[in-house]
Amino acid sequence: MTDDGQRRRGLSFLSTPVFVVGLAVVTVAVVGLDALTHTSVRLLPLLIFLPSIVSGLGTVWQTFIASLWTLAVVTTTLVYVDTAPADTVLAAGFTAMFGALSLVGCRYRVRREEEVHRLRSAAAALQRLIVRPLPLRTGDTVVDGLYQPVEEDAMVGGDLYDVAPSPYGTRLLIGDVQGKGLPAIGTALAVLGSFREAAYRETTLTGLVEALEKAVVRQNAFAAHTGEPERLVTALVLGIGRGLSVDAVNCGHIAPYLIRDSQARQVDLGEPGVPLGMAGLAPEPRRCVRFAFPPRATLLLCTDGVTEARDQRGRFYPLEERLCAWAEEPPERLAAALDANLRDFTKGAPRDDIAVLTLRRAETDHHGGS
């Protein structure tokens, strides 16, 4: 059943065949046992609760049918066994009342499920706007990975990433907003909006980062008027062209890891710059660093939800050690292997948002590279 059809007919866990068979089986079991036991304890009144069970699993229409069916079975059975007319009327009245209450409860449940469905659809649309589904491809690169907000049932968190195929080569952003919740998401939106516009406009990577800085400063100025705390954003911005090197501006973020020839090492970007939102306090402007990115190599970028994860003894997750062990893994499976191992290491759900990106040159796909 399509989502639209499910909304029209009511969200249901009971298909029509299951509903019909279940109704028949329960009725035969209760009426049969009631007739065979010959005890003073009558089982027939248990049928009164059948519509309420259907109301919790089925549609309004199924609950209505179950209510009518139960009323007919109870009334017919009591008449057949020659029950006193007053008792028959009383039982039929209670059965009808429970059926009506079941209908009301089912209708309320269906409306709530439809509301939740609409909210989840809106959240999914928002997630696609904020964090684009992976993998992402440009003419130069293929970016894969995973994104996991820490908050239960949340689809968007404080971590952010994006890829822009600009006239100056592929530009990539990964970042982490200080804090959690809706205010952090608002700051993430401001940074992503600025990146998506400036990545195509700014000719230099430092110019792009300056635009991101201004976006965070404006967002913090607005937060000050509304009583929200100012938020910083650690970020790493890469520029990838068709050469064998990558330009990077590091704004207090984790340096990338280069995986090549069965080895993994963290790229030396020198002293990281200050996070976005703090440029006014820095003694020197941010600088662009260039490092080698040869063919068939993989870059892994992540947020501190990975590097600051701890086990039950308080030890930090040994990311570089794990990457060395997985150096032969295909890039598209690397993030999934890391996620599974990280959960096993921490013995539970992550305590912070997690974003992991694997980056490789698009040319590797045409040369049989992994």
Side-chain angles (χ1 to χ4, degrees), residues 43-68:
L43 301 179
L44 188 62
L46 294 177
L47 277 180
I48 293 178
F49 300 101
L50 181 58
S52 64
I53 297 173
V54 175
S55 73
L57 299 173
T59 63
V60 174
W61 178 83
Q62 289 172 338
T63 305
F64 177 70
I65 295 298
S67 299
L68 288 181

Side-chain angles (χ1 to χ4, degrees), residues 170-192:
T170 297
R171 288 174 166 179
L172 182 146
L173 164 70
I174 185 170
D176 185 359
V177 179
Q178 179 187 29
K180 299 180 179 65
L182 289 177
I185 295 173
T187 303
L189 271 173
V191 174
L192 286 171

